[in-house]
Amino acid sequence: MPVLIVSRVSIKDPEAMASYMEAAPETVAAYGGNYLARTPQIEVLEGVADYDRMVVVEFPDRTCALAWYESEEYRDLRQSRWNAAEAHIVVIPTEK
């Protein structure tokens, strides 16, 4: 069953985050991931959006999503993102 990785991101270092955002898509694609949204254009309907960016990535299944997140290809990028931003990241199943 496909899963989504949903990230709410607050950027602390825009320059470092720009490097991360340039390099991350190749690693996502290598594990079957597809960006559905990757944007700072957030329209709040309820509550408060106290972050700068939303990212939604679809993977074929949970195994692929977690393999990407823990992969060697992504490890250094993940560390770079930790240094450049704060994020809340969740994995959720889809109902396809």
Side-chain angles (χ1 to χ4, degrees):
M1 171 189 309
V3 300
L4 302 176
I5 290 188
V6 179
S7 305
R8 299 180 313 175
V9 184
S10 297
I11 299 170
K12 301 182 292 189
D13 182 342
E15 187 174 308
M17 194 63 183
S19 294
Y20 167 85
M21 290 186 299
E22 184 177 323
E26 185 177 330
T27 67
V28 167
Y31 287 83
N34 178 48
Y35 285 95
L36 301 180
R38 189 178 186 214
T39 185
Q41 297 174 350
I42 302 164
E43 181 177 353
V44 179
L45 300 179
E46 292 187 25
V48 177
D50 57 351
Y51 41 87
D52 305 308
R53 187 170 189 81
M54 288 285 302
V55 180
V56 180
V57 182
E58 183 179 47
F59 284 91
D61 55 41
R62 188 175 184 277
T63 301
C64 290
L66 297 180
W68 163 74
Y69 185 79
E70 297 295 337
S71 70
E72 286 187 40
E73 298 91 339
Y74 186 63
R75 185 173 297 126
D76 289 342
L77 285 173
R78 187 177 61 223
Q79 184 63 52
S80 159
R81 181 183 44 76
W82 288 343
N83 295 336
E86 293 181 12
H88 293 100
I89 302 172
V90 297
V91 178
I92 57 174
T94 65
E95 295 188 13
K96 286 187 174 182

